[in-house]
Every structure is written in structure tokens, then in C-alpha cells.
Amino acid sequence: MQALTLNAAHGWRWLAEGFRIFRKNHLMLTFLVVSYWMLMAIVNVIPMIGTIATTLCIPAFSVSLMNACRNIDEGGPLGPQTLFSGFQKNPRALITLGAIYLAATVGILAISSLADGGALMQLMLAGHTPNAEVLASGDVMLALQVALILLCPLIMAYWYAPILAAWHGLSPAKALFFSFIACARNWRAFLVYSLALLVAATLLPGLLLGTLAALLPDGAALLTVVLTVLLVLILAPTLFASFYVSYRDVFVTATESDA
């Protein structure tokens, strides 16, 4: 498995191409993303077991959504059953990836608990909100910063791992390794991608909401709700599609160039 090293401009292209894929079949892609969220929310209602089950299944559902994006991009069939298509190839490796991610996340939260006595860990795993005294001390913020720093390499290793395991039949260890290398090689593109996402998700909507609120002050609250919902329904499927585009540019192009 070879990963190309792309220039920084590809980061913007990933988001733009993701929106193009979304526009080709926006209704079905949005339906699949919302259905995925609802299913995860329902299972998460079960204390502890729900969190474990959803985390174990996230890699397979990620592959399902990537299957949907690939089918849209290539003109393949797409339907509600696509939501479960990620469980069809190399499911043992995908479940293992989910278990590794769960264990690594718990380990990172355990390390961060050295800064705040476990307040952040209890919030993330059990939903227990820290008391006002703990929040005022700033320890939770310090623990969050520690966790985010430690999560960066984990996210890099996990970014492409489900696709590499399902579409290329790699073992969990190899999938994690090649994903990390691909992200490290393309850190410039990922930096631009993050900035483009920040602009699309926060700056532009903020300017639009501010302008509409100034023009229609009586309906500002309603407009905020409506535009937020629309933004989520557009941005979330676009984001998943951009994940697929980044994979296609980094790995598929490399494979084709070798052929």
C-alpha cells in the first residue's frame, strides 16, 4: 500500500469535491447519515453497553457511508440497505479496530484524569457533569487539552483504517499503520482541509446569521434554528463525502499509477 504526498491545495479540493458528490444524490446521502445518527443515539441509550456497542460498530458504519459516497461518485446503486453494507467485508478486522479505538480512548482519558481527578473521563464515559468548583478551577480544560494532544496520533491512525481494512483486506495493525503514514505525509493538505472546514462550518454561517438577525431581529431565534438544521443536513453528508475524496486522492490514485 503506497500513499501519495499531495500538495496543500488538495485540502480545499477535498471539501469542494465532497460537496459535489453530495449534490449528485443529496437526499439519499442525507438519509443515510441521519439514519446512522439515529441508530447510534438509540443504542447509546443503553448505559455502558450502548457506548461500547456503538464504538465497536463505528468502523463498519464508516465503511457503509464510504460505500455510499463511492457508489454516488461512480454511478453505482444506492439504497437504504447501503447503511449496513460495511459489515459485509472483513467485519472481524473492523470490530477489532473499534475495540482498539475504544481502548485507546479510555487510556487517553485515564491519562488526562491526572490533571482533573477524572472529571473529564466521567463526563465522556458516563455523562456525569463536573460540579461548578471543578469547572471553575480550570483543571477540566487542562485535561481536555492533554486529551486532544494525545488524540491527534490516534485520529491519524484511525482516519483511513476502516476503509483500508474493508476495501483492501488489511489487518487492523497494517490498516492503522498505513493510515497514520498517509496522514503524516499529507499534513499540509489536512491543515488546509481543517481551515476550509472551519470557514464553511463557522465563519460563513456566522456571517449569514448575523446579517439575517440584523435585518429581521424579530425572527432571529427561528432563523438560527432553521439555518442550523439546514447547515447540519448539508455539511455532515458533505463531510463524509470529503473523507472518501481524500482516500481516493491519496490511495486510489497511487494504485492506478502503479498499474
Side-chain angles (χ1 to χ4, degrees), residues 96-115:
T96 301
L97 284 173
I100 293 172
Y101 185 81
L102 177 61
T105 302
V106 172
I108 289 172
L109 291 174
I111 295 174
S112 72
S113 67
L114 298 175

Side-chain angles (χ1 to χ4, degrees), residues 101-114 120-121 143-144 146-155:
Y101 185 81
L102 177 61
T105 302
V106 172
I108 289 172
L109 291 174
I111 295 174
S112 72
S113 67
L114 298 175
L120 178 63
M121 187 174 186
L144 179 61
V146 172
L148 289 176
I149 291 173
L150 296 176
L151 277 171
C152 276
L154 176 62
I155 293 174

Side-chain angles (χ1 to χ4, degrees), residues 9-139:
H10 275 78
W12 165 253
R13 179 180 178 276
W14 293 343
L15 195 59
E17 276 289 293
F19 183 66
R20 181 189 65 81
I21 291 175
F22 164 73
R23 289 177 57 195
K24 290 179 68 174
N25 198 338
H26 58 281
L27 290 179
M28 183 54 67
L29 187 56
T30 302
F31 169 79
L32 291 173
V33 171
V34 173
S35 298
Y36 164 66
W37 284 345
M38 292 179 63
L39 183 59
M40 293 292 101
I42 292 172
V43 177
N44 262 318
V45 171
I46 306 173
M48 293 301 295
I49 296 177
T51 301
I52 295 173
T54 53
T55 305
L56 293 178
C57 292
I58 283 176
F61 280 117
S62 298
V63 173
S64 296
L65 294 173
M66 294 303 99
N67 287 340
C69 294
R70 181 172 63 177
N71 288 352
I72 294 174
D73 188 36
E74 299 178 354
L78 186 66
Q81 71 279 1
T82 307
L83 183 60
F84 301 97
S85 62
F87 293 86
Q88 296 175 0
K89 293 184 178 180
N90 211 1
R92 180 177 297 180
L94 294 175
I95 296 297
T96 301
L97 284 173
I100 293 172
Y101 185 81
L102 177 61
T105 302
V106 172
I108 289 172
L109 291 174
I111 295 174
S112 72
S113 67
L114 298 175
D116 67 350
L120 178 63
M121 187 174 186
Q122 293 178 12
L123 173 64
M124 298 301 295
L125 298 182
H128 295 160
T129 304
N131 58 48
E133 183 179 349
V134 174
L135 291 174
S137 68
D139 291 342

Side-chain angles (χ1 to χ4, degrees), residues 126-199:
H128 295 160
T129 304
N131 58 48
E133 183 179 349
V134 174
L135 291 174
S137 68
D139 291 342
V140 175
M141 184 59 65
L142 176 59
L144 179 61
Q145 292 172 351
V146 172
L148 289 176
I149 291 173
L150 296 176
L151 277 171
C152 276
L154 176 62
I155 293 174
M156 291 170 65
Y158 191 80
W159 191 267
Y160 295 117
I163 303 180
L164 296 178
W167 291 358
H168 298 273
L170 298 187
S171 67
K174 287 184 177 181
L176 292 167
F177 172 78
F178 283 115
S179 175
F180 182 86
I181 294 299
C183 291
R185 286 183 175 180
N186 291 282
W187 67 269
R188 296 175 184 83
F190 275 103
L191 178 60
V192 173
Y193 174 72
S194 300
L195 294 175
L197 184 59
L198 179 65
V199 171

